[in-house]
Amino acid sequence: MGAGLAAVSLCASLRAGGYTGRLTVLGDEPCHPYDRPPLSKQFLAGDRGIAEIAVQPAQWYPDQGIDMRLGIPVAALDADTGRVELADGSALAADVLVLATGGRARRLTAPGSQAAMVLRTRADAEALRARLVPGARVLIAGAGLIGAEVAATATHRGCHVTLVDPNPLPMEQVLGPQAARALHAQHAAHGVTVIRGGVFAVEPGKVTLSTGDSVPADLVMAGIGIVPNVELAQDAGLDVDNGVLVDAGMRSSAPGVYAIGDIARVDGSAHRSEHWDNARRTADAAARSILGLPPEAWRAPWFWTDRYGTHLEMTGLYDPAAEAVPRGDIAAGAGSVFYVRDGRCVGAVSLDRPLDIRAAQRMIDRDVPVRAERLADEGTDLRKLLTNIRSDAPGG
Ligand SMILES: Cc1cc2nc3c(=O)[nH]c(=O)nc-3n(C[C@H](O)[C@H](O)[C@H](O)COP(=O)(O)OP(=O)(O)OC[C@H]3O[C@@H](n4cnc5c(N)ncnc54)[C@H](O)[C@@H]3O)c2cc1C
């Protein structure tokens, strides 16, 4: 249920794992599944078309024997019987049900803000792109991943952008202060007006902010996060708490019902991941459970974002209690920060240095001991550090 990246990845993993039975994908969007990350980047900029962002070519689905039923929302499911009802009144039954309904864009609640655009779907991106014309005055609420990417793309398309966020340093809790500062500073450097505050009211041609400022705006866009589409799971009586609660094998509280992608939250973990790589991994984990295969070893989480021509990647987690070890000069736009705790790398963030992140992923996955001064030393070959871990142990 849900025809996004997670659903397609699940089908691919099941087929790769030898599953030859029937596969049916039910999606409410009318088109074949597409990748969402380009919606705020290359697709919004007009540099990529819809065919270039397809998760799989259209022919892949019949080739894999996948029955795609698109354009009709799932209305209800019965976890005991495996019966699924669609909004057009039709129904079908399955031995295994997988919820992959993702999330919808959170909307502003201020008066008049129903006029504000959001960005989650291809249709949203097409509508937004049509309005991002040279000279347009664009107000973006939210300087997180999506809002900031749209600010960069809108600037690239010749718009005048105002970016509003109540947080003095957006993304700090996710990336750590050094990377968040470097990233946030890019907005002003590219001519974006950055205001600390919230949207108080939206009127035709202007937005009133909580600061009292009145900002002229031809269009308002909200990038203030997503709401997971948990209603089907909730109505079916599954355990839901900021996402459908699952175990490490993506099993929900109802036998034979799984949840993957943005909608799933592994029970006991503090957060629900809303990233591309997580959709693929959780799909793979569910496929292994369904096929009765042992789970794969845990791997450090990973995501990326692109803005103003800069590529950021992050792996593991930012831990405020960890030592922040700089490598290169992240403030200058090319460098990394490794987070080291108890002699182990627990996370790393990097601007335009993806190889640092590859190395950090391996350090975390292999749980190798690391020394901060060696990580910071640009003369240290991080690959050698991994093959020569004993000599790098504290005191070694
Ligand atoms: C603009 C944008 C940019 C992004 N950029 C990045 C990035 O740079 N890096 C990164 O790591 N991640 C990025 N992401 C996040 C990434 O795209 C998501 O994590 C990923 O799409 C999650 O996949 P999913 O299949 O779980 O959910 P979705 O992609 O949301 O797919 C779920 C599908 O289920 C459908 N659905 C919902 N309810 C029903 C129902 N009742 N019946 C039938 N169908 C239903 C939805 O309409 C949707 O088509 C971005 C996301 C967006 C929106």
Side-chain angles (χ1 to χ4, degrees), residues 19-314:
Y19 176 73
T20 54
R22 287 177 62 183
L23 285 172
T24 307
V25 175
L26 309 170
D28 60 358
E29 291 186 76
C31 51
H32 276 98
Y34 52 87
D35 258 335
R36 289 181 205 277
L39 296 184
S40 47
K41 310 176 185 75
Q42 303 91 338
F43 187 77
L44 191 62
D47 298 338
R48 276 195 207 167
I50 191 67
E52 292 157 289
I53 68 168
V55 177
Q56 294 286 354
Q59 189 55 40
W60 183 84
Y61 300 95
D63 286 352
Q64 295 293 319
I66 301 165
D67 182 4
M68 300 294 287
R69 304 201 189 174
L70 302 172
I72 309 164
V74 176
L77 65 99
D78 184 328
D80 294 330
T81 61
R83 185 183 145 89
V84 173
E85 284 172 29
L86 303 188
D88 66 358
S90 62
L92 63 160
D95 302 315
V96 171
L97 298 178
V98 183
L99 283 155
T101 46
R104 55 185 178 272
R106 188 184 297 280
R107 292 192 169 264
L108 292 168
T109 53
S113 58
Q114 57 279 6
M117 304 183 90
V118 292
L119 180 53
R120 180 70 190 177
T121 65
R122 168 190 169 180
D124 294 337
E126 285 168 343
L128 185 58
R129 188 172 58 191
R131 304 272 307 272
L132 296 183
V133 293
R137 297 164 305 175
V138 180
L139 183 130
I140 300 172
L145 288 173
I146 306 288
E149 288 185 356
V150 173
T153 305
T155 306
H156 175 71
R157 284 177 69 91
C159 304
H160 302 295
V161 179
T162 303
L163 187 59
V164 180
D165 195 300
N167 192 332
L169 190 53
M171 303 291 300
E172 182 183 8
Q173 303 306 318
V174 179
L175 306 174
Q178 293 90 342
R181 220 174 284 126
L183 219 52
H184 198 52
Q186 291 184 334
H187 295 302
H190 286 83
V192 170
T193 305
V194 180
I195 300 177
R196 186 178 168 196
V199 170
F200 187 69
V202 179
E203 291 166 61
K206 71 167 186 179
V207 177
T208 308
L209 302 181
S210 55
T211 55
D213 291 315
S214 176
V215 180
D218 302 309
L219 86 95
V220 180
M221 187 259 165
I224 54 170
I226 66 165
V227 180
N229 292 323
V230 294
E231 291 77 2
L232 283 175
Q234 228 155 13
D235 294 348
L238 273 57
D239 289 349
V240 171
D241 179 10
N242 181 28
V244 181
L245 295 181
V246 291
D247 68 8
M250 301 297 126
R251 299 172 192 86
S252 77
S253 57
V257 183
Y258 297 75
I260 56 176
D262 279 8
I263 194 188
R265 179 155 84 86
V266 176
D267 207 355
S269 65
H271 301 289
R272 187 172 44 73
S273 174
E274 297 171 359
H275 298 302
W276 185 90
D277 189 48
N278 176 67
R280 293 170 48 114
R281 287 182 192 200
T282 52
D284 201 46
R288 296 184 75 84
S289 301
I290 293 166
L291 295 169
L293 299 171
E296 291 216 307
W298 181 88
R299 283 184 296 134
W302 170 81
F303 73 88
W304 84 97
T305 177
D306 294 301
R307 45 172 100 163
Y308 306 110
T310 302
H311 179 69
L312 176 137
E313 291 191 28
M314 167 121 205

